[in-house]
Amino acid sequence: MNTIRIQLSKVEDNMNNYDNGNIHLFNNYHQLVSAVRKAIASAKKSYRGANGELNYQPGAFGNSPEGQELTNANYQLEVAKLATLYEVEDGNLDNMVDYANDLLQDPNRLEQELAYLKYLIENNAFPDKQEERSQLTAFYYLLIRLRDGQKLAVGAAAPGKSDFRVKYIELVANSKSGVELNVTCQDMNPSDFEMYQPIYVRPDALEAERIRRLNNKFVIQHFSNNVDAQVDNDENAKLREQVESEKGNWIIPLATAGIGGVVPVFGLLFTGLDIAGGIGNSYSGSVRAEKQIYKDELVNTADKFGMTVTMTTVTTEQPYTMQITMNPTPETKQILQRWKERSKDSGSTVEFPDLEKMDYIELHKYYMDNNKYWSDDDEKYIFGKQ
């Protein structure tokens, strides 16, 4: 702690000596450094007994003035970072492009960033600020898609010819209701493509390959509330038509694991898609027939259980491929807890299902099959609305 204290003192001195015309650039970091120094000083004196032995109770630091100051400093830093990432210049998010490309150059740093963003989302970062939470979640899924796109580009390109990077990010929508990003990437640079294509690309596939390698496009849409109303019903009709005609990759891959851990410990953020394995999964043929899960089913489930929904649509491919993920929220946890409480009420006909054998889609189907036995008071108590 003494070594850290000395280093932090040097950093703070350098900040204090920085040109006054630019000191505002470091303001949030200065606040964070100051809070860390106070936290270290507090830890050295506050959690030791008279004989010098450690004497600490869980939660003591988080509830202390120093702990709260550190939490607030970190929060303010994230607010400033998001504001910078979402600065629009000529309709594009140039800062986000630069930051994403920097992360792509350092896989370890990218994984650390993803883990940190996941932690913030899981732990209800930005309480009462839906717009910031939507921005944070959309950026998280953007990085997921870029990480997996880079892996595919490296694996599919000619040896040594991969130059995966983001070219443009257009901000289409940004509000407390959700965020939409249009993203354009390249798998290799144009000069390498011109040398690559005569050897590896058939003449009749040249233009399609040029688009895929130099202007690969996808859309990130994150819906933070009223999900059912925001998703275009025309897309649902188109979705059902394509599934029935055995065309396109419209089926949603759904995790087989149950959600039983959600009630006692709300530690699982992503249900519906195995994020660790990548979000580029698609099903076809017999597998698609086996897992007939339509987009509107998932959207209705998310809307009922207070979940947010993120859709990633690759628009370069024809037909479009879409992946959809449900993100449980603190409201989801509260709904399940109230459902369990109501089932223990002797005056209620509500039963609580065995969550270990269900995913959220199945839970919604269970609700639809059984809510006819519920009273209006049951419905209002569990979901907070009639």
Side-chain angles (χ1 to χ4, degrees):
M1 288 193 297
N2 187 55
T3 301
I4 294 174
R5 181 187 63 79
I6 293 172
Q7 294 301 320
L8 288 173
S9 295
K10 290 180 180 179
V11 172
E12 191 168 28
D13 288 342
N14 288 337
M15 289 180 176
N16 289 334
N17 293 328
Y18 191 75
D19 175 36
N20 289 334
N22 295 314
I23 191 65
H24 68 280
L25 296 174
F26 287 97
N27 183 57
N28 295 108
Y29 293 95
H30 182 96
Q31 181 184 0
L32 185 61
V33 170
S34 177
V36 170
R37 289 186 63 195
K38 290 180 181 179
I40 292 173
S42 173
K44 289 175 69 175
K45 66 182 181 181
S46 300
Y47 309 119
R48 295 283 179 181
N51 58 359
E53 292 182 356
L54 184 65
N55 181 21
Y56 180 77
Q57 297 299 319
F61 175 71
N63 293 323
S64 69
E66 294 82 8
Q68 292 176 4
E69 182 176 347
L70 182 58
T71 297
N72 182 62
N74 189 61
Y75 170 77
Q76 295 300 332
L77 192 61
E78 284 303 312
V79 170
K81 177 181 173 181
L82 269 181
T84 301
L85 290 176
Y86 279 87
E87 284 181 358
V88 180
E89 293 190 18
D90 297 327
N92 294 320
L93 301 178
D94 294 340
N95 290 337
M96 188 178 292
V97 169
D98 292 340
Y99 188 61
N101 282 330
D102 283 345
L103 291 173
L104 288 171
Q105 298 305 308
D106 188 341
N108 290 333
R109 185 177 163 213
L110 174 57
E111 291 303 323
Q112 290 172 355
E113 180 83 0
L114 286 169
Y116 182 56
L117 293 177
K118 183 174 183 290
Y119 165 80
L120 290 175
I121 297 169
E122 283 182 333
N123 289 276
N124 197 23
F126 306 115
D128 304 320
K129 290 185 176 292
Q130 284 187 334
E131 184 171 336
E132 284 82 356
R133 284 185 61 79
S134 292
Q135 290 176 347
L136 194 76
T137 308
F139 182 60
Y140 175 84
Y141 280 99
L142 168 69
L143 293 182
I144 287 285
R145 177 68 199 181
L146 293 177
R147 179 195 65 183
D148 296 338
Q150 184 182 49
K151 291 177 180 178
L152 290 172
V154 171
K161 297 302 182 183
S162 174
D163 183 27
F164 183 86
R165 64 180 60 245
V166 185
K167 297 174 67 174
Y168 311 103
I169 301 177
E170 178 190 7
L171 182 64
V172 179
N174 182 25
S175 69
K176 66 179 182 180
S177 297
V179 173
E180 182 173 345
L181 306 174
N182 283 350
V183 186
T184 302
C185 302
Q186 68 175 40
D187 284 5
M188 59 177 59
N189 65 55
S191 59
D192 280 344
F193 179 79
E194 293 307 320
M195 292 186 291
Y196 154 93
Q197 57 90 6
I199 302 173
Y200 295 98
V201 183
R202 300 192 320 269
D204 61 333
L206 178 59
E207 287 310 309
E209 184 71 0
R210 188 188 302 277
I211 292 173
R212 190 165 71 90
R213 293 296 188 186
L214 303 182
N215 290 288
N216 199 354
K217 300 179 185 293
F218 64 90
V219 179
I220 300 286
Q221 294 172 288
H222 178 73
F223 303 113
S224 61
N225 58 16
N226 197 17
V227 176
D228 194 26
Q230 293 186 67
V231 177
D232 190 350
N233 287 330
D234 290 340
E235 285 200 358
N236 279 326
K238 188 188 303 181
L239 164 67
R240 196 171 293 277
E241 179 183 345
Q242 292 213 3
V243 170
E244 290 171 354
S245 62
E246 289 276 314
K247 295 179 180 178
N249 297 314
W250 290 89
I251 292 297
I252 303 152
L254 201 65
T256 56
I259 60 175
V262 172
V263 175
V265 180
F266 195 64
L268 181 64
L269 173 63
F270 301 105
T271 297
L273 216 55
D274 180 6
I275 294 300
I279 61 174
N281 302 322
S282 60
Y283 290 97
S284 60
S286 60
V287 177
R288 186 165 61 212
E290 179 184 349
K291 296 182 179 293
Q292 292 250 339
I293 304 167
Y294 297 100
K295 186 175 70 175
D296 48 356
E297 290 181 276
L298 190 149
V299 167
N300 291 339
T301 299
D303 203 48
K304 190 64 182 178
F305 293 108
M307 309 165 90
T308 65
V309 165
T310 309
M311 301 196 302
T312 303
T313 308
V314 181
T315 57
T316 303
E317 301 176 17
Q318 296 294 331
Y320 294 172
T321 59
M322 179 183 295
Q323 306 297 327
I324 306 180
T325 308
M326 293 184 296
N327 309 309
T329 67
E331 183 182 353
T332 311
K333 175 184 178 181
Q334 293 162 11
I335 288 171
L336 294 180
Q337 287 176 334
R338 292 196 298 267
W339 190 345
K340 191 172 185 179
E341 291 170 4
R342 198 65 169 180
S343 68
K344 296 179 180 179
D345 189 332
S346 60
S348 172
T349 58
V350 171
E351 293 184 359
F352 193 69
D354 183 356
L355 296 182
E356 293 291 347
K357 300 178 180 179
M358 293 186 175
D359 53 46
Y360 282 102
I361 294 284
E362 291 169 333
L363 181 64
H364 184 255
K365 290 179 178 177
Y366 179 92
Y367 161 76
M368 295 298 292
D369 289 340
N370 290 276
N371 72 335
K372 55 180 172 289
Y373 305 114
W374 295 11
S375 67
D376 290 343
D377 287 341
D378 293 331
E379 184 82 16
K380 186 175 181 180
Y381 181 82
I382 294 171
F383 295 102
K385 55 187 178 181
Q386 288 183 287

